[in-house]
Amino acid sequence: MASNPPSRRQFLAAAAAAGLAGCLSDVTGTDGTPTDPPTSAYDPTVDDAEWPRYDEDWDAPTDSPLDYEYETEVLVENLEIPWDISFTGEDELFLTERTGTIRRFESGDVVDVVEPEEAIDAGAIDDPSEQTWWVEGGEGGLLGVAAHPDYPEPPLVYAYYTYQEDGTAKNKVSSFDASAEDPQSTVTPIVEGIPGETYHDGGRIAFGPEGNLWITTGDAGTASRSQNMDSLGGKVLRVTASGDPVDGNAEGGDARIFSLGHRNPQTITWLPDATPVAAEHGQTAQDEVNLLSPGWNGGWPEARTADEYPGSDYNRPVAHTGTSTWAPSGGVFYTGDSVPGLQNRLLLGGLHSQRINVVTLSPPDADLPPAANGRRHDADWMDNGYVATSHHLFEDEFGRIRHVEQGPDGDLYFITCNRDGRAEGDFPKENGDRLVRVRQV
């Protein structure tokens, strides 16, 4: 296991083979809206827009993910509410902790590299006896992270975080130069003024097909924002690496909006044919998986249940949990070779469900995987483009699973977030939150 000195945490030898490089320092701001924001010294335009995971002819599995055995390996422990991880093309890994730190995994070590001054303070608990639904900062803080697709040229890293502006909580995405001697002077706002609150902050960011940056935002506790095309709340945004709108987004309103009618989406990933997939938290259950398109409208707050969708013009989910909950956080459509039993399946971290939720998306005329010990999502009111079959792994073994990610080596990784005060059972353990690798036996 990794030890836990004040500013440095030892990365396990099993992960040390990754060649981790780069340099990152403080990301700071003044009042949340710099009067003269710096301009990056680099052109952030993505040079190679060819998406490496593109496969127009991908096939959905017909077997159950439960037919296989998996093993896990704890790579890092004693983290404080890790929220997101991003691999670079050179096997470098950046990880955010909601309490305000970005860490880099390099040459066998875990290095504290960023403590954004502009991000709000967020707390963490140390023991199950301290459980409380609201730690300091609520659900906000330092959330998503994404390295530029061409990293380290340019050496830009992007972060999503909650900040205060005139006493009001907001969220923003900024980029910074990971190689600069003074990274503070390179902080460049990409998208600002995203509504924020102590809950429903969205926060996942990722670069996807065509090199665009995708951003999930929550309604920040005001549901009407989700249908307001002049508000960035309750949306999925699609922008360039500079933060400019992308042609072909939703029509009308803010040109950065790709889809609307979201409540609190925290997954953005893509099928191999580049179809965007979002998963989001419902209101007391009613969680969803959605296949997005420009102008897609999920109906929140007018439609969310099996009784509200029929008869409406809103787009329908491809998977819906009904009266049960997954509390889906970050996830990935896994295409790697290291875990064949999970290949070409959607993997979602589960918070309240404390597990990895595995969703197989099958064309309606294809052979379907067995639903034994799982669930078929095939109600006639749902999105009929695919049939979703869900199973789950590792229930209550690791506690709350915040994000699942695929590495450049095809391995599978996830992070836990048991120190946020909401874990069930005897979490958090003495070794705190962890980064875990999954492989097939």
Side-chain angles (χ1 to χ4, degrees):
M1 297 298 176
S3 58
N4 184 24
S7 63
R8 216 165 167 76
R9 291 175 182 154
Q10 190 67 28
F11 199 43
L12 294 190
L20 305 175
C23 175
L24 208 58
S25 188
D26 288 337
V27 176
T28 61
T30 54
D31 62 356
T33 308
T35 56
D36 187 18
T39 301
S40 174
Y42 299 91
D43 179 1
T45 303
V46 178
D47 290 334
D48 185 359
E50 182 178 350
W51 190 48
R53 298 183 187 179
Y54 186 77
D55 180 6
E56 186 178 11
D57 299 321
W58 72 280
D59 293 318
T62 58
D63 55 1
S64 169
L66 305 184
D67 291 343
Y68 306 90
E69 294 185 16
Y70 309 96
E71 60 183 8
T72 59
E73 180 182 12
V74 176
L75 301 179
V76 182
E77 56 189 19
N78 294 317
L79 296 168
E80 290 186 321
I81 317 182
W83 211 92
D84 201 4
I85 54 178
S86 177
F87 287 92
T88 74
E90 297 201 347
D91 293 333
E92 185 175 1
L93 170 62
F94 292 99
L95 177 149
T96 54
E97 291 179 321
R98 207 178 70 193
T99 51
T101 305
I102 292 180
R103 304 190 186 281
R104 185 184 71 247
F105 301 87
E106 177 184 24
S107 302
D109 291 332
V110 181
V111 184
D112 296 356
V113 290
V114 177
E115 293 184 357
E117 293 181 3
E118 191 178 17
I120 65 169
D121 292 333
I125 70 169
D126 295 315
D127 186 89
S129 65
E130 302 175 29
Q131 295 290 6
T132 173
W133 193 251
W134 295 109
V135 294
E136 183 180 6
E139 296 176 1
L142 180 57
L143 304 177
V145 65
H148 190 281
D150 296 330
Y151 184 94
E153 296 181 3
L156 297 178
V157 177
Y158 294 67
Y160 182 115
Y161 53 90
T162 312
Y163 66 103
Q164 288 283 333
E165 182 177 281
D166 299 327
T168 299
K170 295 183 179 181
N171 293 293
K172 69 163 59 176
V173 177
S174 296
S175 71
F176 41 90
D177 179 356
S179 66
E181 292 184 7
D182 180 17
Q184 175 177 340
S185 66
T186 72
V187 176
T188 304
I190 301 298
V191 178
E192 300 181 273
I194 300 169
E197 245 297 351
T198 54
Y199 53 94
H200 298 186
D201 286 292
R204 197 71 56 187
I205 61 176
F207 282 93
E210 299 181 337
N212 295 314
L213 178 63
W214 296 67
I215 305 166
T216 71
T217 74
D219 65 14
T222 301
S224 60
R225 290 187 175 118
S226 298
Q227 294 297 322
N228 182 353
M229 285 293 288
D230 293 321
S231 171
L232 296 182
K235 308 296 192 301
V236 172
L237 313 180
R238 183 176 63 161
V239 298
T240 68
S242 300
D244 297 322
V246 174
D247 290 341
N249 280 344
E251 297 181 356
D254 194 302
R256 295 169 293 184
I257 295 172
F258 182 84
S259 60
L260 65 152
H262 298 279
R263 182 174 181 267
N264 190 24
Q266 292 185 350
T267 287
I268 184 67
T269 186
W270 296 269
L271 301 184
D273 65 5
T275 300
V277 183
E280 62 184 274
H281 298 267
Q283 184 177 31
T284 313
Q286 316 294 340
D287 305 321
E288 294 183 351
V289 175
N290 294 300
L291 304 179
L292 307 183
S293 57
W296 183 98
N297 188 341
W300 175 255
E302 283 81 17
R304 195 65 182 190
T305 69
D307 295 327
E308 295 168 342
Y309 276 115
S312 77
D313 293 328
Y314 294 117
N315 294 98
R316 314 297 174 83
V318 71
H320 190 278
T321 66
T323 57
S324 61
T325 184
W326 296 346
S329 189
V332 66
F333 193 90
Y334 177 72
T335 59
D337 297 324
S338 297
V339 192
L342 299 179
Q343 189 177 57
N344 285 352
R345 304 188 205 260
L346 175 64
L347 309 179
L348 300 171
L351 298 177
H352 183 74
S353 58
Q354 300 195 160
R355 65 196 192 193
I356 292 180
N357 297 286
V358 183
V359 182
T360 306
L361 297 172
S362 309
D365 57 350
D367 293 334
L368 303 178
N373 298 311
R375 178 178 178 180
R376 191 89 71 205
H377 303 260
D378 57 357
D380 57 9
W381 58 269
M382 299 176 69
D383 184 340
N384 60 10
Y386 286 88
V387 177
T389 307
S390 62
H391 300 84
H392 60 267
L393 301 171
F394 310 125
E395 187 169 25
D396 293 330
E397 292 185 33
F398 295 92
R400 291 162 63 84
I401 296 179
R402 171 59 70 177
H403 183 56
V404 186
E405 187 58 82
Q406 178 176 329
D409 53 4
D411 280 356
L412 185 65
Y413 302 82
F414 67 84
I415 48 176
T416 69
C417 63
N418 293 310
R419 298 182 63 184
D420 63 0
R422 299 183 180 184
E424 302 287 338
D426 59 351
F427 295 100
K429 305 288 189 179
E430 290 184 0
N431 54 3
D433 284 319
R434 295 176 280 180
L435 169 67
V436 181
R437 177 164 55 194
V438 180
R439 286 179 171 167
Q440 192 162 315
V441 176

